[in-house]
């Protein structure tokens, strides 16, 4: 899929390091199908990034296949976008090495994610963890995208990508398009049900609702969701009510209702009525996704066809960028 129709190019990926949860879906994933008509879209499974932390190989393969099924179930039509696996396109690793030589030690050492992950994996502070942002820059720059959808917490990675691209372009001319971060305005940051000051994360399973979770488990988690300890116990958004505000945001994303309508709907009802209602809305939102994911996982041949075709399309674009880079830095063509 070459960009010859004047559409802007959008690229995004998710690391298959665990199960998808509603923070992934109600944040970036749900908006991806809307982008397909507006942009030329590339979506990939960032499996190379996962091995900065030790993985069970069989589980990693299973997760990648499950994620492809979930992407499609969430509305990504592989006929209308390029859906591929990062490790199936060698240009990602090849460009990453070149960009390593144009990324500065100081700027990499300041990356927040490196500091956070080093603290959590003190026995495995490997070089891949340190150069992770450079591989991410290669992921992006290979496809010359105009936009990269990111959460607020990922803006730093796009900024270093832009810095590397500008540095390279400063030496060799306009080789890379310098992408802009694209931040979704609705449901961009779903917080944990058990610790609403923190972003929803698979590392806190009790506060996290997974895409394939059973309805009864989803309902249990919402009934136990942290709200607040004030005496009024009313359903309204406020800075001092992070738990309730988070539930309102989730309910709005699941139902399409405005915050004002939700506050009006549950006026005077308290949390005992509100929390199960949010759980039920999420269950119904996820039901068709779960059913379609199961159907797709039963058709392995179809999924293999999708990711093979996606790799071929991605490789066509990526190899053009890589050849240009190799020529600029002075590598002799094969």
């Amino acid at each position: 899929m070459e960009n010859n129709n004047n559409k802007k190019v959008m690229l995004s990926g998710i690391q298959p390091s665990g199960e998808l949860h509603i923070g992934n879906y109600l944040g970036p994933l749900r908006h991806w199908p809307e982008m397909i008509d507006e942009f030329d879209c590339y979506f990939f499974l960032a499996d190379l990034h996962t091995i900065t932390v030790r993985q069970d190989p069989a589980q990693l393969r299973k997760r990648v296949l499950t994620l492809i099924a979930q992407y499609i179930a969430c509305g990504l039509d592989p006929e209308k976008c390029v859906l591929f696996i990062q490790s199936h396109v060698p240009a990602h690793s090849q460009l990453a090495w070149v960009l390593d030589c144009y990324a500065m030690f100081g700027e990499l050492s300041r990356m927040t994610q490196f500091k956070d992950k080093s603290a959590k994996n003190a026995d495995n502070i490997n070089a891949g963890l340190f150069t992770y942002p450079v591989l991410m820059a290669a992921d992006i720059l290979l496809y010359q995208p105009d936009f990269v959808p990111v959460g607020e917490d990922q803006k730093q990675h796009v900024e270093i990508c832009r810095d590397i691209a500008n540095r390279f372009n400063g030496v060799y001319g306009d080789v890379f398009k310098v992408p802009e971060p694209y931040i979704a305005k609705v449901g961009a940051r779903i917080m944990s049900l058990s610790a609403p000051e923190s972003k929803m994360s698979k590392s806190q399973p009790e506060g996290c609702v997974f895409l394939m979770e059973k309805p009864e488990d989803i309902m249990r988690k919402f009934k136990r969701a942290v709200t607040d300890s004030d005496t009024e116990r009313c359903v309204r958004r406020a800075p001092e009510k992070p738990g309730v505000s988070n539930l309102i945001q989730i309910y709005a994303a699941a139902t399409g209702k405005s915050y004002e309508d939700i506050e009006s709907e549950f006026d005077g009802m308290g949390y005992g009525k509100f929390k199960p209602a949010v759980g039920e809305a999420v269950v119904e939102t996820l039901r068709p996704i779960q059913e379609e994911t199961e159907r797709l996982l039963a058709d392995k041949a179809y999924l293999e066809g999708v990711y093979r075709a996606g790799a071929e399309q991605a490789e066509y674009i990526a190899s053009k960028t890589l050849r240009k880079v190799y020529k600029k830095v002075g590598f002799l063509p094969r």
Side-chain angles (χ1 to χ4, degrees):
M1 185 183 75
E2 190 167 10
N3 183 28
N4 54 14
N5 54 12
N6 297 319
K7 280 186 176 182
K8 299 288 189 181
V9 177
M10 177 82 77
L11 174 133
S12 189
I14 286 183
Q15 191 180 147
S17 55
E19 293 182 60
L20 287 179
H21 54 72
I22 61 167
N24 303 131
Y25 177 63
L26 297 177
L29 242 179
R30 194 181 204 183
H31 299 283
W32 285 4
E34 301 166 14
M35 296 175 188
I36 293 175
D37 292 330
E38 186 178 353
F39 302 100
D40 275 339
C41 291
Y42 294 81
F43 300 107
F44 67 94
L45 281 299
D47 56 340
L48 293 175
H49 286 289
T50 63
I51 63 170
T52 58
V53 177
R54 298 289 176 256
Q55 301 290 328
D56 178 293
Q59 286 299 313
L60 179 57
R61 285 188 286 269
K62 182 180 178 182
R63 278 202 306 273
V64 168
L65 200 63
T66 300
L67 277 172
I68 292 171
Q70 288 180 325
Y71 274 12
I72 298 169
C74 288
L76 288 190
D77 184 348
E79 297 294 321
K80 296 180 180 179
C81 65
V82 179
L83 178 57
F84 67 100
I85 298 168
Q86 182 189 26
S87 63
H88 288 183
V89 183
H92 287 252
S93 302
Q94 292 170 290
L95 181 59
W97 169 249
V98 177
L99 298 184
D100 269 333
C101 301
Y102 294 84
M104 299 299 109
F105 184 88
E107 63 190 354
L108 290 175
S109 64
R110 290 191 293 272
M111 296 299 287
T112 304
Q113 191 175 71
F114 174 69
K115 294 174 183 176
D116 292 347
K117 287 200 170 184
S118 296
K120 292 175 184 173
N121 299 279
D123 59 340
N124 184 26
I125 305 174
N126 56 70
L129 195 62
F130 188 71
T131 60
Y132 179 106
V134 183
L135 177 57
M136 187 170 173
D139 297 336
I140 294 167
L141 297 176
L142 276 173
Y143 302 94
Q144 307 284 7
D146 298 276
F147 298 107
V148 182
V150 290
E152 285 284 356
D153 58 332
Q154 287 286 322
K155 282 183 72 175
Q156 192 181 30
H157 284 131
V158 178
E159 286 163 8
I160 195 171
C161 171
R162 287 167 54 85
D163 290 342
I164 293 169
N166 281 320
R167 187 174 297 133
F168 194 93
N169 288 349
V171 178
Y172 300 106
D174 292 331
V175 178
F176 296 121
K177 184 177 288 184
V178 181
E180 297 287 341
Y182 180 93
I183 299 170
K185 295 176 175 62
V186 180
R189 195 169 171 83
I190 302 297
M191 311 306 279
S192 168
L193 299 185
S194 57
E197 299 82 11
S198 305
K199 188 178 175 183
M200 185 174 284
S201 168
K202 55 186 176 290
S203 63
Q204 296 180 325
E206 270 307 301
C208 182
V209 176
F210 297 99
L211 238 57
M212 299 302 289
E213 200 151 5
K214 294 177 181 177
E216 58 268 28
D217 293 331
I218 294 173
M219 293 302 297
R220 176 179 55 81
K221 287 182 178 179
F222 274 102
K223 287 175 182 175
R224 293 180 178 178
V226 170
T227 46
D228 58 64
S229 56
D230 70 9
T231 53
E232 68 173 331
R233 300 184 65 78
C234 71
V235 177
R236 66 177 178 87
R237 296 173 78 238
E240 69 275 12
K241 296 162 78 78
V244 177
S245 298
N246 185 44
L247 291 175
I248 291 173
Q249 180 174 234
I250 292 170
Y251 192 65
T255 62
K257 296 178 181 178
S258 70
Y259 297 142
E260 294 76 16
D261 287 347
I262 293 166
E263 290 175 0
S264 176
E265 180 183 348
F266 291 94
D267 184 33
M269 289 192 187
Y271 306 147
K273 296 278 189 181
F274 180 53
K275 292 199 286 185
V278 181
E280 286 166 11
V282 169
V283 167
E284 290 310 311
T285 298
L286 297 184
R287 191 185 304 280
I289 295 169
Q290 293 179 351
E291 290 173 355
E292 181 65 1
T293 298
E294 295 291 354
R295 188 190 70 78
L296 289 166
L297 285 172
D299 191 350
K300 297 288 195 297
Y302 170 74
L303 292 177
E304 287 176 12
V306 166
Y307 66 66
R308 283 176 181 160
E312 287 175 8
Q313 293 176 77
E315 193 160 39
Y316 174 73
I317 300 297
S319 62
K320 287 174 67 175
T321 300
L322 187 68
R323 282 196 302 272
K324 189 175 183 180
V325 169
Y326 274 17
K327 183 178 180 180
K328 290 288 187 181
V329 299
F331 294 161
L332 196 66
R334 180 172 164 181

